[in-house]
């Protein structure tokens, strides 16, 4: 059974399955593509924002907005960072906070989910063929390391 990360563990199963189905559909479509197209998709995945980045960006934007509004408009706006920052702390400790279900339903993936698709594309492209053919463990490990960091 595949190990889940904290965000996946706190996400509804039907949402996790939907995200996995979408990744599987993309891989099926990619299976007949040229290595150049696969490489382009791998680069797109490297630039894809994961759930952590979305949470950090949204929390910092809300906290900054609340602080600026608190300074220049009304002190009551200081409540915004006081609400948002504990949620970010909760996510750091538990792997869950109130915005997570919203982001997950919109298809925002964890780094692990993005990396799984990226490595599947690398396997389709043939990056790991050297690892399978090579009988020398040291050379196989070196080839795997180079493929993982290509």
């Amino acid at each position: 059974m595949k190990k889940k990360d904290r965000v996946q563990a706190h996400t509804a199963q039907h949402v996790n399955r939907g995200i996995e189905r979408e990744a599987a559909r993309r891989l099926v479509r990619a299976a007949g593509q040229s290595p150049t197209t696969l490489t382009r998709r791998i680069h797109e995945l490297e630039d894809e924002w994961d759930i952590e980045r979305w949470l950090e960006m949204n929390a910092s934007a809300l906290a900054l907005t609340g602080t600026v509004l608190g300074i220049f408009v009304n002190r009551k706006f200081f409540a915004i960072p006081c609400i948002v920052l504990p949620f970010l702390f909760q996510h750091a400790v538990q792997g869950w906070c109130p915005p997570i279900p919203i982001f997950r339903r919109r298809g925002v993936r964890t780094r692990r989910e993005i990396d799984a698709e990226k490595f599947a594309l690398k396997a389709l492209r043939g990056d790991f063929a050297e690892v399978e053919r090579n009988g020398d463990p040291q050379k196989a490990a070196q080839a795997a390391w180079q493929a993982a960091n290509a």
Side-chain angles (χ1 to χ4, degrees), residues 11 44-45 54 66 84 94 102 106-107 109 116 119 122 130-131 148:
T11 300
E44 289 172 4
L45 289 171
W54 278 104
V84 170
Q94 295 179 336
I102 297 165
R106 296 196 62 177
R109 302 188 290 172
F119 286 108
K122 287 182 176 186
E130 179 64 27
V131 175

Side-chain angles (χ1 to χ4, degrees), residues 12 44 75 79 86 92 94-95 99 101-102 113 117 119 121 129 136 146:
E44 289 172 4
R75 293 175 54 101
Q94 295 179 336
I102 297 165
E113 291 166 332
E117 183 177 344
F119 286 108
L121 288 169
D136 181 7
Q146 289 173 346

Side-chain angles (χ1 to χ4, degrees), residues 4-146:
K4 292 184 178 181
D5 61 26
R6 295 179 320 144
V7 171
Q8 287 174 311
H10 288 98
T11 300
Q13 289 303 315
H14 73 277
V15 175
N16 283 333
R17 283 192 302 270
I19 290 171
E20 289 174 11
R21 274 193 305 271
E22 282 303 311
R25 283 186 194 124
R26 284 189 297 271
L27 287 172
V28 168
R29 283 193 306 266
Q33 301 295 321
S34 70
T36 305
T37 304
L38 296 176
T39 301
R40 188 176 7 201
R41 178 63 184 143
I42 290 167
H43 290 306
E44 289 172 4
L45 289 171
E46 289 169 352
D47 292 337
E48 182 177 332
W49 282 25
D50 64 0
I51 190 94
E52 305 296 330
R53 191 168 183 186
W54 278 104
L55 285 172
E56 292 165 359
M57 189 270 301
N58 281 292
S60 62
L62 285 170
L64 179 62
T65 300
T67 302
V68 170
L69 291 173
I71 292 169
F72 295 111
V73 177
N74 188 326
R75 293 175 54 101
K76 292 180 182 179
F77 283 108
F78 285 127
I80 295 171
C82 292
I83 293 168
V84 170
L85 294 176
F87 286 152
L88 192 59
F89 179 78
Q90 179 184 10
H91 175 68
V93 173
Q94 295 179 336
W96 184 87
C97 64
I100 293 269
I102 297 165
F103 286 132
R104 294 291 285 168
R105 281 187 176 84
R106 296 196 62 177
V108 177
R109 302 188 290 172
T110 65
R111 177 54 42 199
R112 179 177 285 167
E113 291 166 332
I114 295 167
D115 285 345
E117 183 177 344
K118 184 169 69 172
F119 286 108
L121 288 169
K122 287 182 176 186
L124 285 173
R125 190 173 63 178
D127 292 7
F128 305 116
E130 179 64 27
V131 175
E132 295 170 8
R133 285 194 300 260
N134 198 324
D136 181 7
Q138 187 173 8
K139 287 183 180 180
Q142 184 178 18
W145 181 253
Q146 289 173 346

